[in-house]
């Protein structure tokens, strides 16, 4: 069964600290993996997209990694800011019929 | 990056009425558009996928006669919630996938969402 699991479900960190969000998937065959940031009441905004051959991708303070062998990805946020408070969603495309599978998201709270 | 817009951004309607939500890709052609529903503190749930010029494909459990989807052009898709009820109150998000071009990455762009409240 094609699934995407994210951890932790929620996370609270202090402003300026780093954090890492995890994404494990069982989608096969694999096409690509994307990380999105979704502010409350807004649509998701793309942070990174990675295909099978890419191990890491950065977008400012966001760095995503992908291990296609273990089917794991992480999103590392450096020097967190209050505006980083949002839900971060891992999305994997692939599987029979080229499905797009959404993770449940990690809700990040950055406190001053 | 590519921009997807939705209109309206929020709407309040009475039970039994119909509501139309528009989704537009502003600077690219979208051969495929997706409609999602999101309840508070939950992830996006795919409702249907529509390809320009053809009928939408609905996910299991989504009533096609209640959620009418029209994808008449490469830049516009509409979702009409017919005979809305309070349980239809939700956050509706559309997404557009760009027409595949050589050398371009596969990407899916999301609209800002429409908050529907049925009273």
């Amino acid at each position: 069964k094609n699934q995407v699991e994210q951890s932790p479900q929620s996370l609270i960190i202090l402003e300026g600290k780093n954090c890492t969000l995890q994404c494990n998937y069982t989608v096969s065959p694999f096409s690509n993996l994307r990380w999105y940031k979704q502010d409350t009441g807004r649509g998701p905004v793309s942070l990174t997209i990675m295909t099978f051959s890419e191990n890491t991708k950065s977008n400012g303070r966001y760095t995503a990694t992908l291990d296609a062998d273990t089917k794991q990805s992480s999103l590392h946020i450096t020097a967190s800011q209050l505006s980083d408070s949002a839900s971060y969603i891992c999305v994997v495309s692939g599987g029979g019929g080229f499905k797009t599978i959404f993770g449940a998201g990690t809700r990040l709270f950055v406190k001053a | 990056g590519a921009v997807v817009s939705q209109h309206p951004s929020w709407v309040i309607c009475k039970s039994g009425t119909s509501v139309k939500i528009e989704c537009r890709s502003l600077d690219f052609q979208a051969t495929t558009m997706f409609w999602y529903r999101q309840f508070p503190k939950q992830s996006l749930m795919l409702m249907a996928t529509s390809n320009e010029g053809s009928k939408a494909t609905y996910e299991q459990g989504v009533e096609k006669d209640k959620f009418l989807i029209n994808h008449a052009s490469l830049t516009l898709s509409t979702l009409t919630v017919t005979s809305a009820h309070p349980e239809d109150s939700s956050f509706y998000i559309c997404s557009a996938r760009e027409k595949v071009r050589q050398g371009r990455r596969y990407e899916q762009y999301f609209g800002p969402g429409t908050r529907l409240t049925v009273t």
Side-chain angles (χ1 to χ4, degrees), chain A residues 6-8 11 13-22 35-39 47-48 57-65 74-89 106-110:
Chain A
Q6 291 187 242
S7 62
L11 181 63
I13 61 173
L14 291 176
E15 185 180 15
K17 297 296 185 181
N18 304 335
C19 67
T20 300
L21 314 180
Q22 299 292 341
W35 282 95
Y36 288 91
K37 176 187 178 186
Q38 184 179 23
D39 293 310
L47 295 176
T48 62
K57 182 69 68 73
S58 291
N59 179 0
R61 294 179 297 103
Y62 301 103
T63 300
T65 64
S74 65
L75 180 68
H76 186 75
I77 304 175
T78 304
S80 61
Q81 300 176 357
L82 297 178
S83 59
D84 292 333
S85 296
S87 288
Y88 291 84
I89 305 171
T106 292
R107 290 175 61 83
L108 175 65
F109 301 90
V110 181

Side-chain angles (χ1 to χ4, degrees), chain B residues 6-8 10-23 35-39 47-48 58 62-70 77-94 114-119:
Chain B
Q6 281 184 242
H7 179 81
W10 59 271
V11 58
I12 302 173
C13 70
K14 291 186 177 181
S15 185
T17 62
S18 295
V19 175
K20 179 185 286 188
I21 302 171
E22 291 187 349
C23 176
W35 286 96
Y36 298 86
R37 180 166 54 183
Q38 185 177 35
F39 293 104
M47 299 175 65
Y58 290 81
V62 178
E63 300 175 57
K64 63 180 181 180
D65 293 330
K66 180 171 183 63
F67 298 98
L68 301 179
I69 292 173
N70 184 284
S77 176
T78 60
L79 168 67
T80 301
V81 183
T82 63
S83 187
H85 291 284
E87 56 265 31
D88 297 325
S89 298
S90 186
F91 192 52
Y92 291 87
I93 304 173
C94 76
T114 296
R115 173 74 58 193
L116 170 63
T117 301
V118 184
T119 61

Side-chain angles (χ1 to χ4, degrees), chain B residues 12-63:
Chain B
I12 302 173
C13 70
K14 291 186 177 181
S15 185
T17 62
S18 295
V19 175
K20 179 185 286 188
I21 302 171
E22 291 187 349
C23 176
R24 294 181 184 272
S25 57
L26 298 185
D27 52 0
F28 66 98
Q29 292 184 326
T31 52
T32 305
M33 285 188 171
F34 308 86
W35 286 96
Y36 298 86
R37 180 166 54 183
Q38 185 177 35
F39 293 104
K41 297 185 180 181
Q42 294 186 23
S43 190
L44 284 72
M45 293 177 56
L46 180 64
M47 299 175 65
T49 302
S50 72
N51 292 296
E52 186 264 338
S54 62
K55 290 184 178 180
T57 301
Y58 290 81
E59 295 298 301
Q60 191 173 10
V62 178
E63 300 175 57

Side-chain angles (χ1 to χ4, degrees), chain A residues 32 34 36 38 41-44 46 49 51 54 57 89 93 98-100 102-105 107, chain B residues 34 36 38 41-44 46 59 91 93 95 97 105-113 115:
Chain A
N32 62 75
R34 291 163 274 162
Y36 288 91
Q38 184 179 23
R42 307 296 294 273
S46 180
I49 177 171
T51 57
E54 296 175 297
K57 182 69 68 73
I89 305 171
S93 293
F98 201 79
K99 293 289 186 182
T100 296
F102 282 74
R107 290 175 61 83
Chain B
F34 308 86
Y36 298 86
Q38 185 177 35
K41 297 185 180 181
Q42 294 186 23
S43 190
L44 284 72
L46 180 64
E59 295 298 301
F91 192 52
I93 304 173
S95 176
R97 188 161 68 198
R105 285 185 176 279
Y106 175 94
E107 184 58 276
Q108 189 172 339
Y109 304 96
F110 287 86
R115 173 74 58 193

